[in-house]
Amino acid sequence: MTSPSLAPGHTCTTTAPLASAEAVTKSFGKSTALAGVTLQIHAGESVGLLGPNGAGKSILIGLLSGLRRPDSGTIRLFGGNPSNPRTRLRLGITPQATAVPQNLTVGEAVRFVAGHYPDPVPTAQLLMDFGLLEAERKQCGGLSGGQQRRLLVALALVGRPELVILDEPTTGLDVDARETLWRQLRAYRNAGGTLLITSHYLEEIQALSSRIVVIDRGTVIADGTVDEIRSRVAVSKVSFETDLPPSSFLSLPHAVDVTVSDSGRTTVVTQDADATVRELVQRGLAFAQLEVHGATLEEAFLALTAKEQP
């Protein structure tokens, strides 16, 4: 059910992107973090930003939110400069590494942040939406990890933003706490809001995103729906029963990854299932109950980033 309190304060009716990067570069010394990134985020989208550690995701978020400046290229937020405080009033953000003062109560933290916006969500309503009403008088330092993450996402939404950027919003949360946040983020989007999310949980990206952007080594290597990302690579899973260790299968042709399930079943993620199976037989490697399946989003992501390696 959509929560009216989470509706953005203004719904963009133009076709111009809410946020954009055009040929953006950013380096730190001799290390290149972003190398000519171009990206547009339009009203009503929910964009999942994927990439391995060090790919440049958090740097790009810092640029879009005005926390950093590009070395070259253009960053726009709501058509203006993201470093302008008035522009950022329409943005909600939860960086990956963030916290609230430990001695403030939950209610005090919400009211402090809400005071920066012209029409904030009422404190009681916001805390109710995020399951924190009973903790209103509790100090933030006494919250559980799940409660703290819920509070931080709630603070990103308190100003009724048109765009919310969330960097790893549910890291370290249990399944129930994650589902609570997902429910509220879906409510925000259903009410007309726009999301940009990074996450190491591929399930989270698939559950919340209508569009996926994959970034690796500072460049965008894929941009599309879940099905389109999968179609970019011919990735399959070859699974079987075996007593051999996973290392025995890493050198199979076109293998991207090898895993062993809790039940002991070995799975080879491969870019060419036929070639992998042929080599499996030709090498005389012992296996039984062979199965071949299509790729998941996570496996397609692994294959995409593997293709970019030198």
Side-chain angles (χ1 to χ4, degrees):
M1 182 177 178
T2 300
S3 173
S5 66
L6 297 181
H10 175 268
T11 302
C12 183
T13 57
T14 69
T15 58
L18 300 190
S20 64
E22 182 67 34
V24 167
T25 67
K26 183 67 178 179
S27 297
F28 298 91
K30 296 182 178 180
S31 176
T32 300
L34 297 176
V37 167
T38 294
L39 175 69
Q40 293 186 344
I41 301 168
H42 292 270
E45 286 191 307
S46 180
V47 180
L49 185 62
L50 291 178
N53 289 332
K57 303 186 300 297
S58 293
I59 301 300
L60 179 57
I61 283 176
L63 293 170
L64 290 172
S65 58
L67 301 177
R68 298 179 183 273
R69 296 178 184 271
D71 295 335
S72 64
T74 304
I75 296 286
R76 288 285 182 266
L77 183 65
F78 305 112
N81 187 336
S83 64
N84 185 327
R86 291 184 63 84
T87 299
R88 291 204 301 270
L89 279 176
R90 298 161 66 184
L91 173 71
I93 182 168
T94 299
Q96 185 176 355
T98 189
V100 292
Q102 300 293 286
N103 292 330
L104 285 184
T105 67
V106 170
E108 288 170 341
V110 172
R111 286 187 287 273
F112 173 75
V113 175
H116 292 78
Y117 297 94
D119 182 30
V121 179
T123 297
Q125 181 62 57
L126 186 74
L127 295 179
M128 182 180 297
D129 287 341
F130 282 86
L132 293 169
L133 191 58
E134 293 183 358
E136 181 175 4
R137 297 184 181 181
K138 190 173 186 177
Q139 287 186 326
C140 294
L143 298 177
S144 67
Q147 288 175 320
Q148 289 190 33
R149 294 305 293 179
R150 275 187 277 157
L151 174 59
L152 290 170
V153 175
L155 293 177
L157 290 164
V158 69
R160 306 184 194 273
E162 294 173 51
L163 169 64
V164 173
I165 299 178
L166 303 172
D167 194 357
E168 301 287 346
T170 62
T171 297
L173 298 190
D174 59 31
V175 173
D176 289 341
R178 196 176 305 156
E179 285 287 349
T180 297
L181 277 184
W182 288 4
R183 186 166 56 251
Q184 297 308 320
L185 292 174
R186 288 191 188 101
Y188 166 74
R189 188 184 171 206
N190 290 340
T194 305
L195 291 171
L196 174 62
I197 304 171
T198 77
S199 178
H200 281 97
Y201 299 112
L202 277 295
E203 179 189 2
E204 182 164 61
I205 294 294
Q206 191 162 347
L208 296 176
S209 303
S210 58
R211 173 184 162 206
I212 294 172
V213 175
V214 182
I215 185 170
D216 192 22
R217 296 178 170 230
T219 62
V220 174
I221 62 172
D223 186 346
T225 65
V226 172
D227 289 341
E228 288 169 343
I229 297 300
R230 285 183 183 141
S231 69
R232 284 285 304 272
V233 287
V235 180
S236 300
K237 295 185 294 184
V238 177
S239 63
F240 44 82
E241 303 287 347
T242 183
D243 292 328
L244 297 174
S247 57
S248 303
F249 307 100
L250 284 171
S251 61
L252 289 172
H254 308 286
V256 174
D257 192 28
V258 180
T259 60
V260 180
S261 69
D262 292 340
S263 64
R265 190 171 180 83
T266 296
T267 297
V268 179
V269 179
T270 173
Q271 295 171 328
D272 189 334
D274 292 340
T276 296
V277 172
R278 281 196 300 269
E279 188 70 13
L280 192 65
V281 174
Q282 290 171 3
R283 291 187 189 182
L285 298 173
F287 68 89
Q289 299 182 13
L290 180 75
E291 295 179 0
V292 178
H293 299 282
T296 65
L297 173 61
E298 182 168 8
E299 290 148 356
F301 166 69
L302 286 170
L304 276 169
T305 52
K307 276 188 171 183
E308 295 298 307
Q309 301 304 315

